Structure formats: structure tokens, C-alpha cells
Amino acid sequence: MRPDEVTNMAHGNAAAGHGDHHRPPKGVMRWLTTTNHKDIGTMYLVFSLAMFLIGGVMALLIRAELFQPGLQLVDPGFYNQLTTVHALVMVFGAVMPATVGLANWMIPLQIGAADMALPRMNLFSFWLLFFAFVLLISTFFVPGGAPAAGWTLYPPLVLQTGNAFPMAIFAIHLMGASSIMGAINVIVTIVNMRAPGMTLLKMPLFSWSWLITAYLLIAVMPVFAGGVTMLLTDYYFHTSFFNAAGGGDPVLFQHVFWFFGHPEVYIMILPAFGIVSEIIPTFSRKPIFGYEAMVYAIASIAFLSFIVWAHHMFTVGMPLAGQLFFTLSTMLIAVPTGVKVFNWTTTMWRGSLSFEPPMLFALAFLFLFTIGGFSGLMLAIVPADFQYHDTYFVVAHFHYVLVPGAVFGIMAAVYYWLPKWTGHMYDMNIAKWHFWLTAIFVNVLFFPQHFLGLAGMQRRIPDYPTQFTDWNMVSSIGGFGFGLSQLLFVWLIIRCVKGGQRATAGVWDWPHGLEWTVPSPAPYHTFEKSPELH
Amino acid sequence: MAQDKQTGQYYFPHGSRLPFFGSASLFVLMAGAAATLNGASIGVWVLGVGFLLLCALFFFWFGEVIRENQAGALFYARQLSVPWLGGDGAKAVTGLLWPDFEASWPSNGPGALSPRDNGSYEIIPAFGLPAINTALLLTSGLTITIAHHAMKMGNRGMLKIFLALTFLLGFTFLGVQAHEYGEAYREHGLQLGTGIYGSTFFMLTGFHGLHVTVGAIMLVVIWLRCMKGHFTPHQHFAFEAVAWYWHFVDVVWLGLCRGSASSWQALHRDRRQYRRGQDRADAIPVPALRHQAVLRAKRPESLPRGLLR
Ligand code: HEM
Ligand SMILES: [Cu+2]
């Protein structure tokens, strides 16, 4: 909602006292049967946090092994399982479900709808995700161990997977079904259930970013599912899609994977863009600069994300025209991304800034995500990429866009909306400690990986030549610092759920948008009658 | 979720055990499938249980939706138009980015897997059974439209007849398809393992057939509901949704026909080129050459089966 157009909105309509109808059942049945968007949003968020911790433990094992050259803790096969499953867990279990949880909680509140449009399907998509991860993580305990060919699952290497092979593929099918259902739900909700007067171009930017993300999901999840299905039939049913001996081509898999994979990285970052676009105006006490440009920028990024995939495949070999095209289309994404970065900056220009935890995370996002964007630009240059590809430089790049990018965006959102969810203010001191420790350690963790990569250290290996020792040690120390700091986050959330100073409806000094018109905590049902917008 | 037009109040479905039940049954199904593929003997049983649970899920889930609908909960959907992409424009892109890309099916697949000693196979001709099948599906598109008009006119008799005709045509299509598969396997030497052509052919038509099966079952359900007197000339969204789905499998089939026709051409062009192929090799830029070389490599006499499992 553009704040200049707001607000009032249907005071009290959402207040408690709507009688007892639809009170949730008590105990575990509540979570097994609920169709309420807030309950489901909570489940997604808690699930995501759990996966963040599980994936984090894997990352720490990796960093512990890399602390010194030589093989100390884990054997190389298990190391590869760790890197593979770490990535799958973080991408599909931590980042994506967190943004889906936020969508569930906030989209209905932001557009003045009573719930998501398809509540039962909503619950279905959550539980599918849960079982997908039961299946995926159980692969650690089957003969042959978990998948170890990297999250990109390239054949023919991936065909060496043991009994985990079909399990991982079916887990991906379940995740895909879950994501598609979630995406359909978001689209149907936004298209059909906006409150009267909430035109598309008045919609808050977080909802906008999710509308576009949902289209990306629907477009690419089937591609990924198709790709892994072809792997499955190649392995068990004698098809030849990726088998050169039968006229197929293993490179085809890379095309299919990255046609999914590049839009996938934007599926993870666009909601974070939306979050930052909500937070920066609030704490600058100014409407977002260039609202419509922000919408068009997201849309153009989404479109461009479909035509850049082969920048992951420069070293596979392609004609000069292909190299030029994919370099230029990739660099083109920097234009709408630049529009966003400049608009966020301009929003703060002459604003009256304050630095509450959500704003701190949003600002860190702004700086650190941009570093990731710059290293991306370097990688888009073909001759340079020949050097960087499959080194720690790439690892540094995508961790900068994903951790201080997507993950900081999610943390900013949690700090922004937690009082609305729980009805309590959280402990600002712990939050600030959490922020500063996280922001410092994330750089100690990932910045040295740029140097390692430039010096030629390969990714996905448990051992390395001794000249890489120093920066690996620094990076590992950063990793453990980062990981331990997250315990503060967990503790803060638990304390905030349990109690704390009561939060007002507006929570922040300059709230804008429908979600701040309902009391905190948001009642079980909100906007049973559409709010009036003025 | 639906909104009552008069009061502006939303209808909330109550909590439901079905989503959890459904996810659990899919989990059982998938775990069973994985166990089967891994060669565990209980795998099939788990798979079977999972399948039954899934059938039960559909039964309960749609039963619930139908009951709610009969009780007057009004679900509404605005129609979204989907802009279709693709078509011939895609070729221009391929021409620019991968100028030497050729759709080619030079190999019949590993000899060890091929049913014939020399590994040869024939493809299914586009005329004959496939043409008949196309006619069947197109006709079913027509009959369902007639049924829809009958529904709108309130002519229940015609509705039931033409709806029944639609799914009968659908099932006939499936029967013909099964027959064709049999012929391909036994007489043409064309199997799933017969190189990339067999893989593509059976995967595309097979998944299409799966969708036709699902669509036909949905039509049967709608027909049974018509027999029970559900729907009115103005309220029959379930019918419309199924009709959309049916048209969708129709359209996909036409796409498949066109695709297989052009791959048929490619195959023939390719057989000629394959013979001439080698002397064109030096015109191909190096990275492309690498792939082409793999593609064009002679079929190994026999490939150890283990490589493919
Ligand atoms: C200005 C924007 C960006 C550019 C120009 C860019 C460019 C690139 C390039 C060229 C590569 C391939 C490097 C190689 O493997 O040699 C790459 C890898 C990667 N990028 Fe980006 N990128 C951008 C933004 C992002 C964002 C926003 C994300 C995620 C939120 C992201 C996630 C990744 C990931 C996950 C990989 C590595 C995948 C893998 O090989 O495992 N990138 N990027
Ligand atoms: Cu990319």
C-alpha cells in the first residue's frame, strides 16, 4: 500500500470477540488439521528455522573439515554428501519455506483478505514439504548414504548415488508439488481476494514481489521435476536422455537444470526484495521512492531470469554468439537490480532514519547483497568465468547473495513482524547483539572465500593445498561465529513468543499498510469482512 | 475460501485432516516406489498401500468439496488467460545461440538393450492409428462442448449422453494407444530403451496418456454427479474445470503430433546426413564439435548393462 493513500481502514473490524466460531482445536490436532493462514504460516516459519539449524550443522561440519588441510573429521564421500544435502536443505528447506511462511502470514493481512484463497491446499502443501524432507534426510541412513553429486545433480556423476537416488528424486517431486501448490495459492489469493479499492498498483511491495515469485515457481518447478524424472528413467528404465551412447546428451541435463536453477535463485531473493521495500520506508518515515519503478523492476528481473541460464555453463563450451548473449543478458539484470538499490537508497535520502533491528538487517542486506551482485557481474564475463568457475569465488558469490541477501531479508522480516505475530516486543538488546555478531561473522566467513577462489581453490573438495590454509582458517572461525550467533536468534524468538512488553497495533513509529491496523497479536481471523480503503 | 456476495462475509472451511492424510499417503507411495526401485521385496506392497491411500484421499477430498458445494458454499474463480509462448519463435533463438544444433537421433541405443540384433527399429507412422487417435480426441473435444451447451440449456438428457460419449472416446483413445505401444514393442523394435527416439516417444506419449486417464476419470465423476442431479444451468464450475482440463490434454496431443511429425522428418533427414555427416565435421566450431562427436560416435557393439542399470 502506498502510504500516501492509506489508511484508517476498518478499525475494529478485526478485533477479537467474533464469538467462538472457528476456534482452533487444542494440542497437536490443531497443527495437523488447521486451515488458518496464520497457523500454516507459523508452521512454515518454524519448519524453516529447524531446517536452517540442521543445514547449519552440516555447514559447520564442512567448515570444521576445512579448518586445516588434510583429512581430519569426515571421509571424502561423506563430505560430498554434506555439501550436497546442505545446499538442498538450505535452498528448499530453509529459504523457500521461510518466504512461503511470510507470504502466508502477511499477504492476507496486507491485501485485506480473510485468509488464503485455498486453505486446505495450503495445509496440504505444508505437510508435503515436511514429508519431502523426511524422505530426503533419511537418505543419510540408507546404503550408499545421501546424494553426493552436488545439489545440481549432474549426470553421469549423480548416477553413482546409492539407494538414496530414487528417494532424493521423489523428495524433489514432493517439494515441487508443494511449491507449486503454494504458488497457485498466492496467485489466486492476490488476484481474487484483494479488498475493494486495493488495486494492483496500490498493493504493498512484499505482496507484489510474491505475486511475481509465484509465477516464477509455476514456470520452473515442473522443469526441474521433469529433469530429475528423466534422470530416474535413464537409471532404471533404460531411456537415453542423458546418455550419449543412446543418442542423448548429458549437457542437456545442465540446460534443464539451470533453466530451473537461475529463476530459482530469484525465487529466493525476490521476496527479500519485497521485505526490504517494506522496511526501509518504515524506518525512514518516508514512502518508498519510485513505487511503480520498483514493481516494474521486479517484473523485468523475473523476465530476464529466464534467459540467462547458460552463464552457469560457460566452461561446458558454446558458440561465441551464445557466450555473448548470455554474458549480456546476465549483465542486463544489473539494470533493474540497480534501479532497486538506488530507489532504496533514495528512500532513505533526507528521511528521518532510526535503526531498529529490522532496519539494521535491511541496511546490511543493501550493502552485502550488492557485493554479491558485483561478484556476479564478474562471473558473467566469459574469460573471467573460465578462471573462476567451480572455485571458491563462485561459492563466495552465491553465499553473499543468499546469506546476507536472502537470509538477512528473512531475518529482517522476522524482526519487523514478530511483534505483530506474537503480540510482544522482543528484547532489543539481544536483537542488536544478534545483528552485529551475524553481520560481522558473515563477512569473516565468506569474504576470504573470494581470495581463495581467485587463488584457485576448487569448490566441493575436503582437502586443499597448504597455501590456502590461512584464509580457510579465518573462514572457518567466521563460520562458527556465525553459527553460534544464530542461537541468540532462536533464544530471542522463544522469549518473545512466551512473553514481553505488549505490542501496540502499529508497533513501529511510522507504520503503514493494512497489517498495522489489526491488533497485535493479529486475531485468529482477520478481515472477515473486507476492510474499506480510503 | 469464498465470499458471500450479499453479506460480504467470507466462508471459512473448517479444519481438515485430509491434507495431512494426503501428504502421508504420498509419502508412503514415494517411499514404496523408492524401495521397489532399490530392489527391496516389500517395496511393491508399500507402493500398493500408498496407491490405495491416495485413491482414498481423492475420494474423500472431492467428496468433501462436492458436499460443500451442494450445501451452497460458493467457490468462484476468475478466469485467467495464460499467454502462450513458444512456437516457431524458439527456432530463431536456437539458430542464433546454437547455430550448429541439430535435432538428431543417430543412435538406436545400446545394442544390449535393443530387441533386435542389429539394433534397428521403425518409428510409428503418423498416419494410421495415430491419425485415428487424433480424430478420437478431437471428437471428444466436440462432444464435451455439446454437453456443455446442453447443460446451459438445461437439456439433461443430451448432457448425460454427450458426457458419456466424451469419456468413452477417451477410454477408446487409451485402448488404441495401448495397442499401438504393443505393436511398437513387438513389431517395430521401438522400446523405451531404443535410444533417444524411443525414450522421447514413450515418455511424451506416456505422460500424455496418464493425463488422459486422469481426465477420463474426472469426466466419469462429473457424469455420475450429473446422473445424481447435481449442477444447474448457471452453476457447474466443476464441469467447466474438467472441460478445461480435457481441452488441455487435447491441445497437448496436437503439440505432440506436430512434434513427432517434425522429429520424424528429422529422423529421415538425419539418416541421410548421418551418412554424409563425417565430412561436414570440420565446419563445426570446436565446442559444438565436442558434442556432435559424442552424438555421432558409432554405437558401441555392446555396452555393459551395468552402466545403465
Ligand atoms: C547481478 C546479479 C547476478 C549475476 C550477474 C550473477 C551471475 C552468476 C554467474 C555468472 C554464476 C556462475 C558462476 C560459475 O559457476 O562459474 C553464478 C552462480 C550462482 N549464483 Fe549468481 N548472479 C547474480 C545474482 C545472484 C542471486 C541474486 C543469487 C541468489 C539469490 C545468485 C545465486 C547464485 C548461485 C546459487 C550460483 C551458483 C550455483 C552453483 O554452481 O552451485 N546469484 N551467478
Ligand atoms: Cu544464474
Side-chain angles (χ1 to χ4, degrees):
Chain A
M1 157 119 331
R2 267 189 294 187
D4 46 355
E5 314 227 9
V6 203
T7 52
N8 150 29
M9 307 154 198
H11 275 294
N13 102 50
H18 253 288
D20 264 0
H21 73 295
H22 302 308
R23 280 271 151 264
K26 291 268 171 297
V28 68
M29 278 321 272
R30 167 169 180 185
W31 306 105
L32 293 187
T33 64
T34 180
T35 47
N36 180 290
H37 72 108
K38 302 185 181 83
D39 281 354
I40 297 174
T42 305
M43 287 200 286
Y44 265 110
L45 288 167
V46 171
F47 177 81
S48 153
L49 186 60
M51 286 295 146
F52 181 58
L53 298 177
I54 292 177
V57 169
M58 296 178 196
L60 290 188
L61 281 173
I62 293 170
R63 278 319 322 169
E65 175 60 52
L66 292 177
F67 185 69
Q68 289 173 40
L71 297 175
Q72 290 87 24
L73 287 174
V74 293
D75 75 71
F78 185 61
Y79 180 89
N80 288 342
Q81 296 174 24
L82 284 176
T83 53
T84 304
V85 183
H86 160 74
L88 291 171
V89 164
M90 287 305 198
V91 169
F92 296 99
V95 174
M96 289 171 67
T99 62
V100 179
L102 294 170
N104 257 305
W105 251 102
M106 300 320 297
I107 289 177
L109 287 183
Q110 288 197 325
I111 66 173
D115 200 307
M116 296 294 277
L118 307 163
R120 269 193 299 252
M121 192 170 83
N122 204 4
L123 183 64
F124 199 9
S125 77
F126 171 77
W127 282 110
L128 273 183
L129 184 74
F130 173 82
F131 281 110
F133 275 87
V134 173
L135 201 57
L136 182 69
I137 292 182
S138 64
T139 57
F140 274 112
F141 309 102
V142 301
W151 79 290
T152 51
L153 307 171
Y154 284 180
L157 183 61
V158 74
L159 301 179
Q160 296 180 1
T161 312
N163 283 5
F165 186 68
M167 298 167 73
I169 286 176
F170 291 142
I172 289 171
H173 284 153
L174 291 181
M175 289 168 204
S178 158
S179 299
I180 290 172
M181 288 186 200
I184 291 175
N185 212 349
V186 167
I187 293 176
V188 179
T189 304
I190 291 182
V191 170
N192 283 308
M193 309 219 350
R194 274 170 289 126
M198 171 78 67
T199 58
L200 278 177
L201 279 179
K202 284 185 193 164
M203 202 165 64
L205 283 170
F206 175 69
S207 296
W208 251 115
S209 68
W210 241 108
L211 180 62
I212 293 172
T213 304
Y215 277 102
L216 287 183
L217 274 168
I218 290 183
V220 300
M221 288 313 290
V223 177
F224 188 33
V228 294
T229 306
M230 290 192 276
L231 279 181
L232 189 82
T233 58
D234 271 9
Y235 194 84
Y236 290 109
F237 303 107
H238 313 309
T239 57
S240 307
F241 295 109
F242 309 126
N243 177 2
D249 189 346
V251 176
L252 173 65
F253 182 84
Q254 301 191 16
H255 283 295
V256 173
F257 182 88
W258 288 115
F259 187 81
F260 146 80
H262 191 85
E264 168 67 22
V265 305
Y266 282 95
I267 288 168
M268 291 188 276
I269 203 69
L270 290 185
F273 284 178
I275 292 161
V276 171
S277 306
E278 300 282 330
I279 290 175
I280 289 187
T282 302
F283 297 98
S284 309
R285 292 159 182 82
K286 261 180 78 195
I288 187 91
F289 180 84
Y291 169 89
E292 283 175 23
M294 292 303 252
V295 173
Y296 294 132
I298 306 179
S300 2
I301 291 175
F303 168 74
L304 288 173
S305 76
F306 284 107
I307 55 167
V308 300
W309 78 92
H311 63 215
H312 297 273
M313 301 168 57
F314 285 139
T315 55
V316 173
M318 69 181 80
L320 184 62
Q323 298 181 351
L324 285 173
F325 176 83
F326 285 108
T327 291
L328 294 176
S329 60
T330 303
M331 290 190 166
L332 211 56
I333 297 197
V335 176
T337 311
V339 167
K340 300 197 78 73
V341 170
F342 285 122
N343 280 4
W344 289 322
T345 314
T346 320
T347 302
M348 289 185 285
W349 175 251
R350 298 202 168 153
S352 87
L353 303 191
S354 60
F355 298 96
E356 283 85 345
M359 182 65 161
L360 289 175
F361 273 96
L363 285 176
F365 171 97
L366 194 57
F367 283 96
L368 301 178
F369 172 79
T370 307
I371 293 182
F374 282 137
S375 59
L377 284 178
M378 294 168 70
L379 290 165
I381 303 165
V382 179
D385 185 67
F386 283 176
Q387 293 298 313
Y388 306 151
H389 179 67
D390 264 352
T391 68
Y392 261 80
F393 192 80
V394 175
V395 177
H397 157 66
F398 65 73
H399 281 97
Y400 261 88
V401 284
L402 284 172
V403 183
V407 173
F408 273 28
I410 291 161
M411 286 177 173
V414 171
Y415 281 121
Y416 189 48
W417 285 311
L418 195 58
K420 177 58 63 190
W421 301 335
T422 62
H424 304 131
M425 298 307 288
Y426 45 80
D427 187 326
M428 289 291 163
N429 274 328
I430 303 182
K432 286 191 176 163
W433 270 99
H434 173 234
F435 168 75
W436 284 108
L437 288 173
T438 303
I440 291 168
F441 278 124
V442 85
N443 286 295
V444 179
L445 167 58
F446 293 122
F447 210 81
Q449 297 185 359
H450 289 116
F451 311 145
L452 289 168
L454 292 179
M457 179 170 158
Q458 297 255 314
R459 65 190 283 206
R460 293 175 176 158
I461 46 161
D463 188 8
Y464 50 81
T466 46
Q467 81 254 32
F468 301 132
T469 311
D470 294 348
W471 286 123
N472 267 303
M473 286 189 165
V474 174
S475 178
S476 289
I477 291 168
F480 277 88
F482 180 86
L484 293 175
S485 316
Q486 302 322 307
L487 298 180
L488 283 177
F489 187 49
V490 178
W491 188 45
L492 175 140
I493 292 176
I494 294 175
R495 281 192 29 166
C496 179
V497 171
K498 288 219 169 125
Q501 188 199 329
R502 291 222 72 81
T504 58
V507 182
W508 308 111
D509 191 37
W510 198 76
H512 60 124
L514 281 177
E515 74 255 43
W516 307 112
T517 64
V518 304
S520 309
Y524 199 56
H525 288 300
T526 32
F527 303 127
E528 276 168 276
K529 237 181 155 123
S530 297
E532 300 282 323
L533 302 186
H534 302 292
Chain B
M1 175 100 325
Q3 195 174 18
D4 188 319
K5 288 267 153 45
Q6 265 106 52
T7 63
Q9 281 271 354
Y10 279 101
Y11 162 75
F12 291 96
H14 51 80
S16 167
R17 296 166 194 213
L18 290 173
F20 181 80
F21 173 70
S23 312
S25 42
L26 268 174
F27 175 72
V28 175
L29 183 83
M30 295 285 187
T36 311
L37 291 176
N38 282 327
S41 52
I42 60 156
V44 241
W45 295 101
V46 181
L47 186 68
V49 172
F51 186 74
L52 289 180
L53 288 174
L54 195 66
C55 292
L57 168 78
F58 280 121
F59 192 77
F60 292 133
W61 188 302
F62 287 106
E64 174 125 11
V65 173
I66 291 168
R67 265 192 304 283
E68 278 169 344
N69 173 269
Q70 294 303 97
L74 172 67
F75 288 85
Y76 66 98
R78 286 184 208 165
Q79 300 187 16
L80 301 172
S81 64
V82 186
W84 287 97
L85 301 166
D88 277 354
K91 280 206 193 106
V93 177
T94 310
L96 179 69
L97 298 182
W98 287 279
D100 298 298
F101 179 83
E102 281 171 13
S104 59
W105 326 99
S107 167
N108 304 345
L113 294 175
S114 198
R116 297 182 180 169
D117 286 343
N118 62 358
S120 69
Y121 65 92
E122 294 99 40
I123 62 170
I124 309 269
F127 299 99
L129 283 187
I132 293 176
N133 246 353
T134 309
L136 284 177
L137 263 199
L138 288 181
T139 317
S140 75
L142 193 69
T143 52
I144 198 170
T145 311
I146 297 177
H148 194 186
H149 279 287
M151 166 88 88
K152 281 189 181 158
M153 316 267 286
N155 186 343
R156 306 285 294 191
M158 199 148 124
L159 165 67
K160 288 171 200 164
I161 294 176
F162 276 88
L163 198 53
L165 256 161
T166 310
F167 66 71
L168 288 179
L169 284 166
F171 284 119
T172 318
F173 172 91
L174 288 171
V176 175
Q177 186 85 340
H179 175 77
E180 196 182 314
Y181 276 15
E183 268 189 359
Y185 258 69
R186 285 189 310 272
E187 286 155 35
H188 297 290
L190 180 62
Q191 303 190 347
L192 201 53
T194 320
I196 189 68
Y197 185 83
S199 311
T200 314
F201 175 80
F202 283 107
M203 284 282 270
L204 287 178
T205 57
F207 272 103
H208 176 263
L210 197 67
H211 284 77
V212 174
T213 314
V214 170
I217 295 174
M218 300 197 308
L219 284 170
V220 172
V221 173
I222 295 294
W223 182 71
L224 288 174
R225 289 187 64 187
C226 288
M227 299 301 268
K228 284 189 102 177
H230 291 189
F231 305 127
T232 70
H234 302 291
Q235 274 190 32
H236 48 263
F237 177 71
F239 178 98
E240 278 186 358
V242 172
W244 290 344
Y245 187 80
W246 194 250
H247 288 308
F248 154 75
V249 286
D250 236 7
V251 170
V252 170
W253 176 255
L254 291 181
L256 283 185
C257 277
R258 189 190 166 281
S260 51
S262 55
S263 56
W264 185 74
Q265 287 160 3
L267 184 76
H268 280 253
R269 191 189 56 225
D270 213 76
R271 285 216 172 122
R272 289 195 301 277
Q273 271 177 5
Y274 190 43
R275 284 191 291 275
R276 291 189 275 117
Q278 256 52 23
D279 45 78
R280 279 186 57 231
D282 35 74
I284 301 172
V286 178
L289 182 65
R290 220 169 63 207
H291 299 160
Q292 298 289 322
V294 178
L295 282 176
R296 284 163 192 275
K298 284 231 171 61
R299 184 166 56 80
E301 286 318 308
S302 75
L303 208 77
R305 226 188 147 89
L307 204 91
L308 291 155
R309 281 281 302 274

